[in-house]
Amino acid sequence: MREQLTITQLQQMANTLREDIISMLETAKSGHSAGPLGLADIFAALYFNILHIDPKNPDWEDRDIFLLSNGHTIPVQYAAMAEAGFFEKEELLTLRKLGSRLQGHPERQRLPGLENTSGPLGSGLSQGAGYAYALQYLDKVLHRFVYVVMGDGELDEGNVWEAAMFAGKNKLSQLIVFIDRNNIQIDGNTEDIMPLEDLRGKWESFGWHVLEIDGHNIESIIDAASMGRAITNRPTVVIAHTIPGKGVPFMEYDYKWHGIAPNSEQAKAALEKLRTLDGKITHEGMGV
Amino acid sequence: MSDFPLNEDLFSDEVTQEPIRAGFGRGLKTAGEANPLIVALCADLTDSTQMSLFKAAFPERFIEIGIAEQNLVTVASGLARAGKVPFTSSYAAFSPGRNWEQIRTTIALNNQPVKIIGSHAGVSVGPDGATHQMLEDIALMRVIPNMVVIAPGDSLEAERATQAIAENGKPSYMRLAREKTPIFSTPDSPFEIGKAYVLREGHDISLLGTGTMTYQLLKTAHLLEEQGIQAEVVHVPTVKPLDEETILQSIRKTGRVLTAEEAQAAGGFGGAVAELLGEKLPTPLLRIGMKDRFGESGEPDELLDYFGLTGEHIAEATKKFIDTTSRYHQGF
């Protein structure tokens, strides 16, 4: 199908997604910064390695299904979709503008390639479980997979655990979930707001196969997805430890960047950091 | 005259009665036979909501969700994205009572053809009391864009309505009553989504009923006739989209209107009609329904009587309304 990128190219792609995110948010003048930046490596791996999708045929009947549950991180998905060829990159700068297909939170019917509508937290896993149930039990199509990305803050929602029980009971082995474990939510750190630990133990007790990875390590992300596909008697959850705001030093680890966009000056500084990999290389060296 | 055949034993004490949900159970099984994409999801109330017929016929297409109404509708949303036509059932107090946001976002805004069946709606739920007597569902559901809202009048109509929403390709809500309800329609009576039906012609007032209250309005009209009042009875099983043409046509003739529903009149069916009249044909209006209060425990018949929702009470209210208001004259 599509040309496979090398690990180095995927790393470069993640960096490109981060640049796209900064430009989009700066132009939109609102939106969430930390989550999308932290998810860039996972989305580079998903859209350029893991997912069986065809950007030129978004409804391809043999495709894998990707659902974003924490819809506020949508800039990273839009960036990945544009880079993958679902639509032209120029459209990224219409994010959050009147008439744009790139709504502030994703709306399925507006943009081909989106599989669901999300934003209110905690419902993406159920939708993924519904789709995975249809594949496994109703259509008995075993070679397609359903991938869901969730935030860690949204695990506060009861709906998530209803879905976790349902998927565990039904051993939905074609369901593979990535949790963006960046430890922040709007009001502060997750363990202060509403502790999630023992997170691994929680998912295990619900009947899930649990993996924990460095969410910025492309090889680990690809391996985890591969492991998820190989596990045939349980759903898989990948707790991906990430750094919120990853790649932009002044945003990293700071929960205050959860729900705000950079101003022009901050965006300029962020792009400078990203384009030089925090001063380690020159602009010319990137070549992406 | 009406092309909606009525049960001949309508006003007899021996009128056949059946819970509306039984019609849903039969309709879902029939729809399931016709369309293999139909799947059914229930939240631990399979017998009670009468999904058990479908489950027995198509066990592989039945999904038990447990007591988790948020998951009920969101799993259904995912199934719909996978090409299925999911029917979800629970008590209306829990679905759409508890999971309204999930319905709004993952079904309506996502425009997935999920069918939400809310059983045990209205005060006639009886002894379970106010917690289980869902009265706000019509109001909650009809304000959501893309959503179809249906309140069948009896079990035969519920059977037809179930088959109709199975094939309409849209998010749809249907409310059902728990208790035995008199059957006023016949197997030959029509049902089309978005259509209202004139069951009885008259020129003094239009009585608009939805759900179980249409039967009571037929009784009302029967009683009023003895007092020389000719009431027109219009059955409006589809609250959204509202059949404005049929409703306005009736009101242009009668110049007075009454609505009746076993739900909060505010924002409900009465609210929908008030909005229509306010914009298109301002007309004296009396809304019968629950007036900004909860229900309570009691036997179903006792409660209908207590809350003024019987044919007799409505006849009294109608008489008073006619005696104290003048008709709308414009266009006569």
Side-chain angles (χ1 to χ4, degrees):
Chain A
M1 206 178 70
R2 287 177 302 148
E3 180 194 355
Q4 286 279 335
L5 300 188
T6 65
I7 297 297
T8 307
Q9 286 172 321
L10 288 169
Q11 288 166 340
Q12 288 168 345
M13 180 56 72
N15 211 60
T16 302
L17 298 184
R18 291 189 171 97
E19 291 177 28
D20 292 339
I21 291 163
I22 295 294
S23 302
M24 293 164 79
L25 291 172
E26 183 203 357
T27 309
K29 296 190 175 67
S30 71
H32 298 72
S33 298
L37 289 168
L39 281 165
D41 302 288
I42 289 171
F43 273 79
L46 281 167
Y47 272 84
F48 293 91
N49 182 287
I50 297 168
L51 294 173
H52 284 249
I53 48 175
D54 181 357
K56 298 302 171 206
N57 183 11
D59 293 328
W60 176 39
E61 61 176 22
D62 245 7
R63 73 192 185 283
D64 287 334
I65 298 299
F66 173 74
L67 303 171
L68 181 65
S69 184
N70 53 339
H72 62 270
T73 63
I74 189 64
V76 67
Q77 186 178 356
Y78 289 150
M81 289 172 73
E83 296 292 346
F86 280 88
F87 54 87
E88 296 297 321
K89 275 188 70 170
E90 293 80 71
E91 196 173 348
L92 287 176
L93 297 182
T94 68
L95 173 71
R96 289 177 169 251
K97 305 282 191 208
L98 184 64
S100 174
R101 299 194 294 171
L102 278 52
Q103 292 289 295
H105 292 81
E107 277 184 40
R108 179 182 71 82
Q109 287 189 293
R110 300 244 182 193
L111 185 66
L114 290 179
E115 304 280 5
N116 71 325
T117 296
S118 71
L121 295 169
S123 300
L125 184 58
S126 295
Q127 293 174 72
Y131 207 114
Y133 189 98
L135 289 177
Q136 187 170 338
Y137 293 103
L138 301 173
D139 297 337
K140 300 184 171 57
V141 170
L142 304 182
H143 65 281
R144 296 175 63 198
F145 292 86
V146 179
Y147 297 88
V148 178
V149 163
M150 307 174 68
D152 53 359
E154 80 169 311
L155 303 182
D156 294 353
E157 292 279 5
N159 195 168
V160 170
W161 301 101
E162 294 181 0
M165 251 193 285
F166 175 80
K169 175 199 171 190
N170 291 297
K171 304 186 191 324
L172 299 179
S173 59
Q174 285 157 269
L175 180 61
I176 299 167
V177 177
F178 286 91
I179 292 173
D180 179 22
R181 185 68 172 120
N182 66 10
N183 299 290
I184 63 161
Q185 55 195 104
I186 293 180
D187 275 359
N189 293 305
T190 57
E191 300 316 287
D192 296 330
I193 304 302
M194 190 54 65
L196 297 171
E197 298 297 341
D198 170 22
L199 192 54
R200 167 185 279 273
K202 282 189 173 75
W203 287 93
E204 281 174 348
S205 70
F206 279 72
W208 287 62
H209 185 74
V210 185
L211 301 169
E212 280 194 75
I213 63 167
D214 169 1
H216 301 304
N217 184 320
I218 297 275
E219 283 182 284
S220 301
I221 298 163
I222 293 171
D223 284 352
S226 175
M227 177 65 103
R229 290 191 300 272
I231 300 284
T232 55
N233 62 351
R234 274 168 295 172
T236 295
V237 60
V238 181
I239 301 172
H241 295 272
T242 65
I243 297 167
K246 171 75 176 174
V248 180
F250 61 87
M251 293 184 183
E252 288 183 355
Y253 298 105
D254 186 352
Y255 75 81
K256 296 198 182 79
W257 279 98
H258 171 94
I260 56 172
N263 60 30
S264 302
E265 205 175 309
Q266 291 162 330
K268 197 176 159 206
L271 287 171
E272 183 68 19
K273 292 285 185 191
L274 288 165
R275 286 174 184 154
T276 62
L277 291 182
D278 203 10
K280 292 188 195 73
I281 55 165
T282 61
H283 287 215
E284 294 72 35
M286 281 295 293
V288 198
Chain B
M1 187 47 208
S2 167
D3 51 4
F4 190 104
L6 290 172
N7 182 352
E8 284 173 8
D9 299 327
L10 185 59
F11 301 114
S12 139
D13 289 342
E14 270 79 56
V15 60
T16 313
Q17 302 202 29
E18 188 182 41
I20 291 186
R21 58 200 163 115
F24 161 66
R26 288 195 299 271
L28 182 61
K29 181 170 174 277
T30 308
E33 284 159 0
N35 185 349
L37 295 175
I38 290 174
V39 294
L41 296 79
C42 196
D44 200 32
L45 291 166
T46 310
D47 282 336
S48 200
T49 62
Q50 297 282 303
M51 255 190 182
S52 35
L53 269 181
F54 182 94
K55 181 185 174 183
F58 309 106
E60 74 289 350
R61 282 153 60 191
F62 172 79
I63 305 172
E64 178 58 78
I65 297 289
I67 310 165
E69 294 81 14
Q70 299 174 74
N71 201 40
L72 175 73
V73 293
T74 43
V75 166
S77 168
L79 287 161
R81 183 62 187 142
K84 308 304 171 195
V85 180
F87 275 76
T88 67
S89 73
S90 182
Y91 292 177
F94 317 144
S95 178
R98 179 164 288 190
N99 52 17
W100 185 85
E101 183 281 317
Q102 282 90 348
I103 292 170
R104 174 182 184 268
T105 306
T106 75
I107 295 173
L109 178 57
N110 211 5
N111 203 18
Q112 299 293 2
V114 174
K115 317 303 166 182
I116 299 135
I117 311 302
S119 147
H120 292 51
V123 290
S124 60
V125 168
D128 278 347
T131 55
H132 285 49
Q133 294 163 351
M134 186 48 159
L135 303 172
E136 295 78 23
D137 54 331
I138 295 178
L140 282 172
M141 297 308 276
R142 80 175 187 86
V143 293
I144 303 179
N146 290 338
M147 187 64 67
V148 169
V149 180
I150 293 172
D154 63 23
S155 60
L156 293 182
E157 187 168 71
E159 192 172 341
R160 293 190 288 273
T162 303
Q163 295 172 69
I165 60 173
E167 302 300 332
N168 73 343
K170 292 189 64 116
S172 305
Y173 173 62
M174 186 166 73
R175 86 186 310 241
L176 306 172
R178 168 176 182 259
E179 283 301 308
K180 284 188 175 172
T181 306
I183 294 177
F184 64 83
S185 73
T186 72
D188 297 325
S189 302
F191 176 84
E192 200 180 310
I193 294 168
K195 291 283 272 188
Y197 299 96
V198 177
L199 304 188
R200 181 187 196 285
E201 294 191 10
H203 49 75
D204 290 323
I205 186 168
S206 298
L207 305 178
L208 312 182
T210 195
T212 52
M213 294 309 290
T214 295
Y215 167 74
Q216 302 294 344
L217 293 184
L218 285 166
K219 277 172 67 174
T220 297
H222 193 62
L223 292 167
L224 289 174
E225 189 169 25
E226 292 164 10
Q227 301 175 49
I229 296 170
Q230 294 298 331
E232 178 146 307
V233 178
V234 184
H235 177 43
V236 191
T238 309
V239 176
K240 187 186 170 191
L242 200 61
D243 184 349
E244 299 188 357
E245 197 186 326
T246 301
I247 292 172
L248 292 175
Q249 201 176 352
S250 172
I251 296 170
R252 278 195 193 98
K253 184 169 66 171
T254 62
R256 289 190 191 94
V257 59
L258 174 147
T259 61
E261 65 202 296
E262 216 189 302
Q264 300 291 356
F269 173 57
V273 171
E275 288 168 16
L276 172 68
L277 299 181
E279 287 187 346
K280 297 198 174 163
L281 191 70
T283 307
L285 165 69
L286 179 64
R287 291 171 304 146
I288 300 291
M290 295 296 279
K291 293 294 185 72
D292 198 25
R293 64 155 298 168
F294 291 108
E296 63 180 83
S297 289
E299 289 309 314
D301 287 345
E302 282 180 330
L303 289 167
L304 289 176
D305 184 54
Y306 183 74
F307 289 116
L309 301 174
T310 60
E312 292 78 5
H313 283 297
I314 299 171
E316 227 169 278
T318 307
K319 178 81 172 55
K320 197 171 151 201
F321 179 59
I322 289 175
D323 289 346
T324 55
T325 49
S326 46
R327 291 171 193 256
Y328 170 79
H329 286 289
Q330 188 191 323
F332 274 55

